Every structure is written in C-alpha cells, then in structure tokens.
C-alpha cells in the first residue's frame, strides 16, 4: 500500500515570495541572494482527503534531502503513502510531529536550501507555530466548531458565542453537572463530520444522551456558534486585492447557506398598520418595554393560533410541531450574527419579556450566551427597520419552519375603505417558510392574525 | 491473548465424501471437528454408498472395533484419558481411537467445550447474520450490483435461535461421533489424584476412580474478567452471555479489541448498535500485523458506528441498575489516573480468556500453574514444580496457553497421541493459522512483520515483504469486495515463508494454502508453480507468491518439472 506517489509538496508561491522579499529587505540589498526557505505542505493524496496524519518522518531535522527522496509517510483517509521531496535542501524544521494531523495544504515542515538557513527556518517555524495547525489528537474532540446558519442579508440566526475552550462549559443533563458530555459513538462521529459542537446539543437518548439524530437535527437547525479556541483578533481593516479565507464560523455559515437551498421555500408579504402599536410602545416604553419584545410577543400570540407556522420539517416526511413558541431574534454583533431566543414568548408577559431581551443582548455582547439561549428558536424574527429598510426577504435557517423579515414602519398615504385618504404608519413584513409543512394559506392566515394583533395590541400587555 | 472464537465452524458433509474415498484413514490430517466425519468413515468404509448408518448400527460396530483396538496393558482401565471434551479433547480422542487406543473422555459440563457451545461456533452463526445484514444495508454496495432491496430488518430471537441451534447441532454431532467410535464419555469433573489416576463424578455423587496409561488435560478456558468489573450477565456480559444475544443494546462498550471484541463489534454494529472500544494498549487490534490492523481499522472501525479509547484500562464497570446506565471508569494505562467515565447501555468484557484449571488436582502430582496455565514443554508434556516432566501427563489447548485457538488445541492433542503411540512429534505452532471472522475477514499464519524482523536480526538473515491487493482480483471485484490486502513475509535467500497475513473477502478460507505450505515446508519458489482456478479469490495468494523475489531456484524434485505424461 505504500505506493510512492509522485505527489510532491506544493510550494506556495505567494507566501514564498512574500517571505523572500521581506527577507531580502531585512538582510541584504542583494536581491539575488534570496533566502530560500520553502514550506513543505500536507499533500492531497486523494480527492476526498481533507486532512492528513503524519505517520512518521523518514528524515530528521537537519537531514539533507535530494529531489525525489521520501521524506514523510502520510496517512490519508484511504491509505498511507510515502511523500517525496520536490526540491533539494535540508529538512530545517518539522512543524507537525509524528501522530499530528494537519489540513491539506498547511505547512508541515520547512525546507532550507542551504545548511546555513536551517537556524533561520527554525526560528521561522517557531514564530509561525502559533498560526500553524497544532498537533491534533486523532480522537474526535468533543468541542467542535458548530455550524451556525445564517439567513441572508437579514440578520438572522447564528453565531458565535465564545464557547470557552474547556469541555465542561456546557451543562448537559447526562453529564454530572456539566463535567462531561455523553454522546454515542456515532453521534460523536457525525458531530465531527458536520462540525456540530456537542456541548450545544440537547440529547434525546436515554438519560439525555446525545444520539445521532440529535446531532443531525442540530446540524441543520441549531444556529450555534463557537468561536475558535482563541478569540479571533478582529481584522482591523480589509486589505483590498486580497483573498481572505473564511474563518471557521464563516465557513460554517457558508455551508449552511448552501444547505438551505435544499429546502423549498416561498414568501408571503403583508403590510401592517402600526399606529396602535406605536402608541402602545410610547406608553409603556418607560417601563423598559422594547419594540423587539412587542414584535416578538405579537408574533408569538399569532403563532398560538397557527401552530403549523411554528412547526418544522426535520426528515422530509413529517411535521414536527414544537411544544413551545420560542422566538429567535437576529442580532448583529462583531461582524457576526447571533439569535438570542425569547423562550415561551407567548406565555411570558411583555415586561418580563423585555427584561429577558435586554439580558440576552447583554450576554450576547459579552459572548456569554448559553447554548439553549441561542439555539432553541422555533420561529425567527429579523428586523432591519432601524436602518430604514422598508422590505427585504430572509433565508430560512435550516431546521426551522419560518422566518419573518420586518421592515421599517413608515408614514404612508393610505386610501381607506370609505374613500378617504389619510396618513398611517405602515410596515411591511415578509415571511419565508418551508413549503413542505407550511402552505400559502397557512401563512396568509397567520399574517392576518398578526396584523389584527398589531393593529389592536391590547392583548400584548395582558 | 487469543481466543478460541476464531475457530471455523465445521461442516460434516463435504468431508464425508472425501473420507469415503480414502482407504487409509491415517493419511487424513484434519484437525478438530472435521475429524468427526472421518470417524464415521472408518465404520462405514465397507458400505458402498453415502447412506448413513443408524446410530444403533454404528454403536454395535463400535464395540466390535474397540475390541480389535490393540491390547491395552491390563493394569490400566484405559490407554488414554482426556479431561475435557472440547475441540482439543475431541480431536485427541478421535485420533487416539484411530491409533488403537482405548480412550475415555471426562466432561463436567457439555461436550464441545467453549468453541462449540460458547465460542467459535455460535459466534459464526451471529456473524453469518451480521454479514448479510451489512450487505443488505449497504445501499451503495447493492446499487453497484444493480440490486434493489427495501429496508432490511431482523428478528433478534430468530438470530439468537440460529446461533443456539447451530451450537446444539454441532454438539450432538460431536457427541455422536465419539460414541460411534467407542470413546467412553464419562460425566463429571475430572481430578487427578495421582500418577495415571483420575477421579471423576458429579457433585453430590460418589466419585469413580479410573486409571490410564496416559492422561491429557484439555480443560480449556473461561472468559477472563479483570478485577473491578462486575459481570451481571445482563448489561455487563462476557462472550458467554453475548452469544445468546438476549438483547441488542443501543450502545455497547467492548473492553478489548482482539479477535473476540472485533467479531462482536461486527455483529453488534450490523444489528444497529453503536460500539465503543476500550483497549489497554496504545493501538487497536494488538497482536495483528501492524499493517493489517491499520487497514482493518480503516475498514472495520472508522467507517462504522464505533469509537474507541486506547491506552486505558476499564478499572471499574458497574452494571445498569436503579435507572442508571452501565458506568465504565477509564484509567490511563500509564499514569494510572482516572481519565474518563462512560455511560453505556451494556459492556462486553472481551479481555481474553483465563485457563480453567482449578480443581484439577495438580497439587497431587506437584504441578504448580503459572497464572493458571499448566506449564508444558514443546511436546505438551506437563512440567512439575521442580522443572521435571511428569510422566504420562500432557496438557493441550487453552489450559496450557501456548496458542489459545480451538484448532491449535486439536492439533496439539493429535501431536500428543502421536507421541504416546510411538512416533515423536512436535507441533509447529507457526504453521497454525488464525482467523477473525469480521466482514471482511482477517487471517494469518506465522510471524508478523515486526516479529520476523526481530528474528531476522537475531539470526542474521534477510527478509522481504510482498503484497497483493484484492483490488486486482477478478472474483473479488465481481463480488464488489475489492477491499483487502495479502501480505507475505519471507526469506529471499531460500524462499521460506515466515508469515502470511490476509485481510479481505474470505481471508479465513484463503489462509490454508499458506499455512499448509508452512506446515509442509514448501518454499515459495515451488508453490508459485501451483495452479489456481481462475477466477477465484485464491489467485490473491497465487499472485502473492509470484510477486515474491526469491533467489533460490525451484527445487528439481518438484512434480512440475517432471515430464507430463501424454
């Protein structure tokens, strides 16, 4: 099986160039004498290979390599293969030790052209070791980046809550007070594959164990987050003309967005007059009530009458009628998105709901939201009204049934039924829903109910 | 530690035909269960057809035949007494009768021992089911063959019954074959009371004392359960319980990733369980050739619903009770620190097997067991506490721990019988094949590559390795089972086969060409001229032998070099 592949390390020209230029600037004026330190990359040994494990280094640091000589044995998802050097030189620094795993294309060692450059390469490898892939245990890590799913332009669900790196941060029913996570072997495998953070998944197995279907559900439904172990330093600015790879979170967003294409969605819009709501808001604003809470409450009360709009389709064969009405509200933070959830919004009174909302937003900013506070939404609200957006549409977060995009409430000239013309505050809402479970008539009826509630908001305050 | 689970299930019918054509039964060197068919053939040699005689008819002839069997010394009740009627004892008994010895076999439990009742035989029934389930569930595989199968399901009790029925069938075959040959089956636990003297009897009954010129201990083994593990037979089980398949847990932890653990992981995952392996060593599947175990892990572990913890001991396992799951405490094998706790639905203890030698009366003849094993020399002669051989006492099979495989026990038994009937014989354990009946199967004979390298270094010779893939085999591809590897470790100077390891479709059946070559001393330069039917899986080995680079020329005595008769 040890076919010697002719696969060679692919030197990344761009990084090399950059390095040699900076090197020449720093050291000598003679541009001809460039330090040639090449990175040895994890090769792609098969079309499906995404990461490789270093089985053994056949050369040690300092060894001379000739072109075509086997340097390292790499284990891919399919086989172990000897990998040959593409260049002559000296193996200057091994960056991924035996047993370590590195993604395809990442540097695993440095190759110096001359012996003198070994030390320099070594220093380089040390300084860059922070950014190079760390040696990763082969076993599935319990904490994985989770897949946030983000609806479109709208701020919708998703996002990063810095899950502390520690395993024990999530409280899990079957985990002795959060000391560990109980997940079945297949659930763990799936979580790794689907990049779901097991710490955020609520288990439905015996004694709260996380089983495969929970992970599957979480992968599509759960907008979760998880910032990388070290908080990403926020990029100070965007360098034009560069290609910046997605962060893990952005990658997950991307995957989820693509995945959302597999859900047959449709949209229904409605114009709602908000004069009464605005008046109510003015009246109780001083008691700490926010517009978001009012909208969430109104939506929740409408959903009580239309449980189908609060349902979702998990397997393509059935309706999942959610027992609670949990309104997720998208909030933009730090270039990302998060969807704090107002749980049981239909039952909780408006004042409590408003306090809860404030608390959630504060927590979200501090990145302290607990998983159940951002991944249990059954219906999502996305509001861009504050930017003056009058209408937009949102992408349905996979795993939920519907999302409502709320535009700004604006004074409009309206012709009334009795032939008069007048001014009314109106806002446009636009619901995106999964047509497998929610039909046009369902949305129409729901929106009609919602409009009634908003236009006569006395029920919102109980 | 090897288990006896990997012994292949014996079938009587095909070998029966074979035996009929044999005029000289001594030429047959079948091990173990296959002997039963051969045993029948002695009695029916005169009969012209394949019609089986009734049991009654057979037993009559038997008494006549035992009368003719040589003349045992008057002072002994028997020529040979075998304690333990497992596969080892059975193999020895049949061979003893063939050599004309008056033979008795003492069994305190059920005839057939571990292999037939609680080991290789019922596990093969479960594996037959799991293999089919796996195939039917593999949508990809079915599609590639153009087959359409709607959801495959199984009835747990039906599967369990299949295993149980198979065990009882093989057990009665075994019993009948011994009875038919005139082997006395004495019921009760046997204890050695002195040189050449054994007592036996059931608990609460008076013991009988019998004497024999030679005695073979073949008491086998029981599942080994490390301390700290509480086996309740329901949720914390050993292979004994697992083979009854009383329930299929959602999640089962398997402690030990050797043959037994691997085979059960194959069964359980095919039936829908998820499995967590707990292995004390740093690598799964220790004991296999590293290259084979690595490949096997890619095929048998990684894509399945299995995860694992290596380098840890299961130091405490508590069965499920009071609504709590089975709790497994893991301790780091090196630091001895608590590492993790698992909560699972069931735990299978497959940490190897412990010799069953308690109560054998070894103290009466000054023999001290070593970790329970009876010490023996290379001829299976028992060694006493002073390092001296105990005359007329032998120990075979799991009880001596040399090679804990059913067929190895049988081969050792035959070797002993050869010795007591006047022909010196030493069994070459390196020629004894072993197999693990996963899907696909793993089999091996001889040394692993690291063992061979060590030996080569010590003895100063060179070794080479040749490999062939199942991917290049027509039959394997026709079956859409191209995953697999055959590996040959050999001496390039003289063509000696040091080890052969196969992972792939029907590997367990394929290994015998190699093991026979090792047993008979056939060299690669000769066997490579042997012809294999095309297209068959055996061509994997054909190609393997042909790809080896041997400096020595083919021997001139090879029949191939003789002129072919017109």
């Amino acid at each position: 099986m040890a076919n010697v592949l002719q696969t060679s390390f692919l030197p990344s020209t761009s990084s090399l160039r950059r390095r040699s230029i900076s090197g020449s600037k720093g050291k000598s004026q003679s541009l001809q004498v460039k330090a040639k330190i090449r990175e040895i990359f994890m090769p792609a040994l098969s079309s499906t290979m995404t990461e490789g494990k270093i089985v053994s280094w056949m050369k040690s640091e300092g060894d001379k390599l000739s072109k075509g000589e086997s340097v390292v044995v790499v284990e891919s998802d399919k086989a172990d293969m000897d990998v040959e050097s593409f260049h002559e030189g000296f193996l200057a620094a091994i960056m991924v030790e035996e047993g370590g795993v590195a993604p395809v294309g990442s540097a695993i060692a440095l190759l110096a052209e001359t012996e003198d450059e070994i030390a320099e390469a070594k220093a380089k490898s040390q300084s860059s070791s922070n950014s190079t892939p760390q040696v990763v245990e082969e076993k599935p890590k319990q904490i994985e980046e989770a897949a946030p799913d983000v609806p479109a332009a709208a701020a919708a669900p998703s996002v990063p809550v810095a899950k502390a790196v520690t395993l024990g941060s999530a409280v899990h029913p079957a985990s002795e007070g959060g000391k560990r996570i109980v997940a079945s072997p297949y659930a763990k495998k799936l979580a790794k594959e689907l990049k779901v953070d097991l710490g955020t998944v609520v288990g439905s197995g015996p004694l709260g164990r996380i089983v495969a279907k929970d992970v599957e559900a979480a992968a599509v439904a759960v907008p979760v987050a998880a910032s990388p172990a070290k908080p990403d330093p926020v990029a100070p600015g965007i360098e034009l003309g560069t290609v910046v790879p997605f962060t893990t979170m952005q990658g997950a967003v991307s995957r989820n967005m693509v995945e959302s294409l597999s859900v047959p969605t449709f949209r229904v819009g409605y114009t709602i007059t908000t004069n009464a709501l605005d008046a109510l808001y003015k009246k109780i604003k001083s008691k700490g009530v926010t517009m978001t809470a009012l909208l969430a409450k109104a939506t929740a009360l409408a959903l009580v009458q239309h449980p189908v709009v609060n349902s979702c389709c998990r397997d393509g064969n059935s309706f999942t009628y959610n027992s609670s009405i949990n309104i997720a509200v998208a909030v933009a933070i730090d270039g990302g998105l998060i969807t704090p959830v107002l749980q049981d919004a239909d039952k909780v009174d408006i004042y409590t709901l408003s306090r809860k909302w404030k608390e959630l937003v504060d927590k979200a900013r501090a990145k302290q939201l607990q998983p159940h506070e951002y991944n249990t939404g059954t219906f999502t609200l996305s509001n861009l009204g504050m930017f003056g957006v009058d209408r937009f549409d949102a992408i349905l977060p996979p795993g939920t049934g519907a999302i409502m995009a709320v535009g700004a409430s604006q004074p409009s000239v309206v012709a009334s039924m009795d032939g008069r013309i007048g001014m009314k505050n109106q806002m446009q809402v636009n619901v995106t829903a999964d047509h497998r479970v929610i039909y046009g008539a369902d949305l129409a009826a729901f929106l009609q109910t919602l409009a009634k509630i908003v236009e006569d908001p006395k029920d919102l305050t109980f | 530690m090897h288990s006896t689970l990997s012994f292949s299930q014996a079938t009587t019918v095909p070998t029966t035909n074979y035996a009929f054509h044999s005029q000289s039964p001594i030429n047959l060197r079948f091990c173990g269960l296959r002997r039963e068919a051969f045993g029948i053939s002695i009695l029916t040699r005169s009969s012209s057809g394949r019609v089986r005689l009734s049991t009654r008819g057979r037993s009559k002839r038997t008494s006549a035949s035992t009368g003719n069997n040589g003349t045992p010394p008057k002072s002994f009740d028997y020529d040979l007494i075998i304690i333990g009627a497992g596969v080892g004892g059975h193999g020895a008994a049949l061979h003893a009768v063939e050599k004309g010895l008056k033979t008795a076999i003492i069994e305190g439990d059920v005839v057939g021992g571990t292999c037939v009742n609680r080991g290789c035989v019922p596990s093969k029934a479960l594996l037959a089911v799991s293999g089919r389930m796996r195939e039917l569930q593999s949508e990809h595989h079915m599609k590639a063959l153009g087959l359409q199968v709607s959801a495959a399901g199984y009835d747990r009790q039906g599967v369990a019954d299949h295993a149980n029925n198979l065990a009882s069938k093989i057990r009665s075959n075994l019993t009948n074959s011994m009875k038919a040959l005139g082997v006395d089956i004495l019921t009760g636990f046997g204890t050695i009371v002195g040189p050449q003297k054994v007592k036996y009897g059931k608990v609460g009954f008076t013991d009988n004392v019998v004497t024999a010129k030679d005695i073979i201990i073949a008491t086998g083994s029981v599942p080994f359960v490390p301390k700290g593990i509480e086996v309740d037979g329901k949720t914390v089980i050993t292979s004994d319980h697992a083979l009854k398949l009383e329930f299929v847990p959602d999640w089962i932890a398997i402690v030990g990733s050797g043959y037994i653990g691997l085979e059960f992981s194959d069964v359980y995952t095919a039936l829908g369980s998820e499995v967590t392996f707990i292995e004390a060593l740093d690598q799964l599947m220790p004991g296999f050739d590293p290259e084979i175990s690595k490949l096997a892990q890619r095929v048998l572990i990684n894509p399945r619903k299995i995860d694992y913890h290596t380098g840890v001991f299961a130091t405490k396992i508590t069965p499920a009770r009071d609504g709590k799951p089975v709790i497994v405490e893991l301790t780091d094998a090196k630091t001895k620190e608590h590492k993790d706790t698992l909560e699972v639905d069931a735990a299978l203890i497959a940490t190897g097997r412990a010799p069953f030698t308690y109560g054998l009366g070894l103290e009466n003849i000054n023999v001290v067991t070593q970790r329970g094993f009876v010490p023996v020399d290379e001829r299976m002669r028992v060694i006493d506490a002073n390092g001296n051989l105990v005359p007329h006492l032998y120990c075979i099979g799991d009880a001596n721990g040399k090679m804990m495989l059913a067929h190895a026990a049988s081969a050792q038994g035959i070797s002993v019988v050869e010795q007591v009937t006047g022909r010196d014989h030493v069994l070459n354990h390196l020629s004894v094949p072993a197999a693990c009946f996963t899907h696909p199967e793993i089999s091996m004979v001889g040394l692993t590559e690291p063992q061979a390298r060590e030996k080569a270094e010590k003895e100063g010779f060179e070794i080479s390795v040749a490999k062939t893939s199942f991917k290049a085999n027509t039959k394997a591809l026709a079956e859409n089972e191209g995953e697999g590897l055959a590996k040959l470790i050999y001496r390039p100077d003289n063509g000696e086969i040091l080890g052969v390891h196969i992972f792939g479709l029907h590997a367990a059946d394929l290994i015998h060409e190699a093991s026979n070559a090792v047993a008979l001393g056939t060299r690669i330069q000769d066997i490579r001229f042997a012809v294999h039917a095309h297209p068959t899986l055996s061509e994997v080995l054909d190609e393997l032998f042909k790809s080896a680079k041997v400096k020595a020329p083919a021997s001139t005595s090879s029949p191939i070099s003789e002129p072919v008769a017109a």
Side-chain angles (χ1 to χ4, degrees), chain B residues 470-503:
Chain B
F470 278 64
K471 280 195 184 73
N473 181 274
T474 310
K475 188 70 190 306
L477 291 177
E479 300 282 344
N480 199 25
E481 304 269 5
E483 197 91 60
L485 171 76
K487 174 175 175 178
L488 166 68
I489 302 145
Y490 64 101
R491 285 182 64 156
D493 55 345
N494 62 12
E496 184 187 347
I497 298 170
L498 300 172
V500 173
H501 303 265
I502 311 173
F503 174 73

Coordinates of all heavy atoms in Angstrom, one line a residue, chain B residues 470-503:
Chain B
F470 N -6.6 -7.1 -3.1 CA -7.8 -7.7 -3.6 C -8.4 -6.9 -4.7 O -9.2 -7.4 -5.5 CB -8.8 -7.9 -2.5 CG -8.6 -9.1 -1.6 CD1 -7.5 -9.2 -0.8 CD2 -9.6 -10.1 -1.5 CE1 -7.3 -10.3 0.0 CE2 -9.4 -11.2 -0.7 CZ -8.2 -11.3 0.1
K471 N -8.0 -5.7 -4.8 CA -8.5 -4.8 -5.9 C -8.1 -5.4 -7.3 O -8.8 -5.0 -8.3 CB -7.9 -3.4 -5.8 CG -8.6 -2.6 -4.7 CD -8.3 -1.1 -4.9 CE -8.9 -0.3 -3.8 NZ -8.3 -0.5 -2.5
A472 N -7.1 -6.2 -7.3 CA -6.6 -6.7 -8.6 C -7.2 -8.0 -8.9 O -6.9 -8.7 -9.9 CB -5.1 -6.7 -8.7
N473 N -8.1 -8.5 -8.0 CA -8.6 -9.9 -8.2 C -10.0 -9.9 -8.8 O -10.9 -9.2 -8.3 CB -8.6 -10.5 -6.8 CG -9.1 -12.0 -6.8 OD1 -10.3 -12.2 -6.8 ND2 -8.2 -12.9 -7.0
T474 N -10.1 -10.6 -9.9 CA -11.4 -10.6 -10.6 C -12.5 -11.0 -9.8 O -13.6 -10.4 -9.8 CB -11.2 -11.6 -11.8 OG1 -10.0 -11.3 -12.5 CG2 -12.4 -11.4 -12.7
K475 N -12.4 -12.1 -9.0 CA -13.5 -12.6 -8.3 C -13.9 -11.6 -7.2 O -15.1 -11.4 -7.0 CB -13.1 -14.0 -7.6 CG -14.3 -14.7 -6.9 CD -15.3 -15.2 -7.9 CE -16.5 -15.8 -7.3 NZ -16.3 -16.7 -6.3
A476 N -12.9 -11.0 -6.5 CA -13.3 -10.0 -5.5 C -14.0 -8.9 -6.1 O -15.0 -8.3 -5.5 CB -12.0 -9.6 -4.8
L477 N -13.6 -8.4 -7.3 CA -14.2 -7.3 -7.9 C -15.6 -7.7 -8.4 O -16.6 -6.9 -8.3 CB -13.4 -6.8 -9.1 CG -12.1 -6.1 -8.7 CD1 -11.3 -5.7 -9.9 CD2 -12.4 -4.9 -7.8
A478 N -15.8 -8.9 -8.8 CA -17.1 -9.4 -9.2 C -18.1 -9.3 -8.1 O -19.3 -9.0 -8.2 CB -17.1 -10.8 -9.8
E479 N -17.5 -9.6 -6.9 CA -18.3 -9.6 -5.7 C -18.5 -8.1 -5.2 O -19.1 -7.9 -4.1 CB -17.7 -10.4 -4.6 CG -17.6 -11.9 -4.9 CD -18.9 -12.7 -4.8 OE1 -19.8 -12.1 -4.1 OE2 -18.9 -13.8 -5.4
N480 N -17.8 -7.2 -5.8 CA -17.7 -5.8 -5.4 C -17.1 -5.7 -4.0 O -17.6 -4.9 -3.2 CB -19.2 -5.2 -5.4 CG -19.1 -3.7 -5.5 OD1 -18.2 -3.1 -5.9 ND2 -20.2 -3.1 -5.0
E481 N -16.1 -6.6 -3.7 CA -15.5 -6.6 -2.4 C -14.0 -6.5 -2.6 O -13.2 -7.3 -2.3 CB -15.8 -7.9 -1.7 CG -17.3 -8.2 -1.5 CD -17.8 -7.6 -0.2 OE1 -17.1 -6.9 0.5 OE2 -19.0 -7.8 0.1
G482 N -13.6 -5.4 -3.3 CA -12.2 -5.3 -3.6 C -11.3 -4.8 -2.5 O -10.0 -4.7 -2.7
E483 N -11.9 -4.5 -1.4 CA -11.1 -4.0 -0.2 C -10.3 -5.2 0.4 O -10.9 -6.2 0.8 CB -12.0 -3.5 0.8 CG -11.4 -2.6 1.8 CD -11.4 -1.1 1.4 OE1 -12.5 -0.6 1.2 OE2 -10.3 -0.6 1.2
G484 N -9.0 -5.1 0.4 CA -8.2 -6.2 1.0 C -6.8 -6.2 0.6 O -6.4 -5.6 -0.4
L485 N -6.0 -6.9 1.4 CA -4.6 -7.0 1.2 C -4.1 -8.3 1.7 O -4.6 -8.9 2.7 CB -4.0 -5.9 2.1 CG -2.5 -5.9 2.3 CD1 -1.8 -5.3 1.1 CD2 -2.1 -5.0 3.5
A486 N -3.2 -8.9 0.9 CA -2.5 -10.1 1.4 C -1.0 -9.8 1.4 O -0.5 -9.0 0.6 CB -2.7 -11.3 0.4
K487 N -0.4 -10.2 2.5 CA 1.0 -9.8 2.7 C 1.8 -11.1 3.0 O 1.4 -11.9 3.8 CB 1.0 -8.9 3.9 CG 2.3 -8.4 4.4 CD 2.1 -7.4 5.5 CE 3.5 -7.0 6.1 NZ 3.3 -6.0 7.1
L488 N 3.0 -11.2 2.4 CA 3.8 -12.3 2.6 C 5.2 -11.8 3.2 O 5.8 -10.9 2.6 CB 4.0 -13.0 1.3 CG 5.1 -14.0 1.1 CD1 4.8 -15.3 1.9 CD2 5.3 -14.4 -0.4
I489 N 5.6 -12.5 4.3 CA 6.9 -12.1 4.8 C 7.8 -13.4 4.6 O 7.4 -14.5 5.0 CB 6.8 -11.8 6.3 CG1 5.8 -10.6 6.5 CG2 8.2 -11.4 6.9 CD1 5.0 -10.6 7.7
Y490 N 8.9 -13.2 3.9 CA 9.7 -14.4 3.5 C 11.2 -14.1 3.5 O 11.6 -13.0 3.6 CB 9.2 -14.9 2.1 CG 9.5 -13.9 1.0 CD1 10.6 -14.0 0.2 CD2 8.7 -12.7 0.9 CE1 10.8 -13.1 -0.8 CE2 8.9 -11.8 -0.1 CZ 10.0 -12.0 -1.0 OH 10.2 -11.1 -2.0
R491 N 11.9 -15.2 3.4 CA 13.4 -15.1 3.2 C 13.7 -15.1 1.8 O 13.5 -16.1 1.1 CB 14.1 -16.2 3.9 CG 14.1 -16.1 5.4 CD 14.8 -17.3 6.1 NE 16.2 -17.3 5.7 CZ 17.2 -17.8 6.4 NH1 16.8 -18.5 7.6 NH2 18.4 -17.8 6.1
P492 N 14.3 -14.0 1.2 CA 14.6 -14.0 -0.2 C 15.7 -15.0 -0.5 O 15.8 -15.5 -1.7 CB 15.0 -12.6 -0.5 CG 15.4 -12.0 0.9 CD 14.6 -12.7 1.9
D493 N 16.5 -15.4 0.4 CA 17.6 -16.3 0.1 C 17.1 -17.7 -0.2 O 17.6 -18.3 -1.1 CB 18.7 -16.2 1.2 CG 18.1 -16.5 2.6 OD1 16.9 -16.5 2.8 OD2 18.9 -16.8 3.5
N494 N 16.2 -18.2 0.7 CA 15.9 -19.6 0.5 C 14.4 -19.8 0.2 O 13.9 -20.9 0.0 CB 16.3 -20.4 1.7 CG 15.6 -20.0 3.0 OD1 14.7 -19.2 2.9 ND2 16.1 -20.5 4.1
G495 N 13.6 -18.7 0.2 CA 12.2 -18.8 -0.2 C 11.3 -19.3 0.9 O 10.2 -19.7 0.7
E496 N 11.8 -19.3 2.2 CA 11.0 -19.8 3.3 C 9.9 -18.8 3.6 O 10.1 -17.6 3.7 CB 11.9 -20.0 4.5 CG 11.1 -20.6 5.7 CD 12.0 -20.6 7.0 OE1 13.2 -20.4 6.9 OE2 11.4 -20.8 8.1
I497 N 8.7 -19.3 3.8 CA 7.6 -18.4 4.2 C 7.6 -18.2 5.7 O 7.6 -19.2 6.5 CB 6.2 -19.1 3.8 CG1 6.2 -19.3 2.3 CG2 5.1 -18.2 4.3 CD1 5.0 -20.1 1.8
L498 N 7.7 -17.0 6.1 CA 7.8 -16.7 7.6 C 6.4 -16.3 8.1 O 6.1 -16.6 9.3 CB 8.8 -15.6 7.9 CG 10.2 -15.9 7.4 CD1 11.1 -14.6 7.6 CD2 10.8 -17.0 8.3
G499 N 5.6 -15.7 7.3 CA 4.3 -15.3 7.8 C 3.5 -14.8 6.6 O 4.0 -14.3 5.6
V500 N 2.2 -15.1 6.7 CA 1.2 -14.6 5.7 C 0.1 -14.0 6.4 O -0.4 -14.6 7.4 CB 0.8 -15.7 4.7 CG1 -0.3 -15.2 3.8 CG2 1.9 -16.3 3.9
H501 N -0.3 -12.8 6.0 CA -1.5 -12.1 6.6 C -2.4 -11.7 5.5 O -2.0 -11.1 4.5 CB -0.9 -10.9 7.4 CG 0.1 -11.3 8.4 ND1 -0.2 -11.5 9.7 CD2 1.4 -11.5 8.3 CE1 0.9 -11.9 10.4 NE2 1.9 -11.9 9.5
I502 N -3.7 -12.0 5.8 CA -4.7 -11.6 4.7 C -5.8 -10.9 5.4 O -6.3 -11.2 6.5 CB -5.3 -12.9 4.0 CG1 -4.1 -13.8 3.6 CG2 -6.1 -12.5 2.9 CD1 -4.6 -15.1 3.0
F503 N -6.2 -9.8 4.8 CA -7.4 -9.0 5.2 C -8.2 -8.9 3.9 O -7.8 -8.2 3.0 CB -7.0 -7.7 5.8 CG -8.2 -6.8 6.0 CD1 -9.0 -7.1 7.1 CD2 -8.5 -5.8 5.2 CE1 -10.2 -6.3 7.4 CE2 -9.7 -5.0 5.5 CZ -10.5 -5.3 6.6

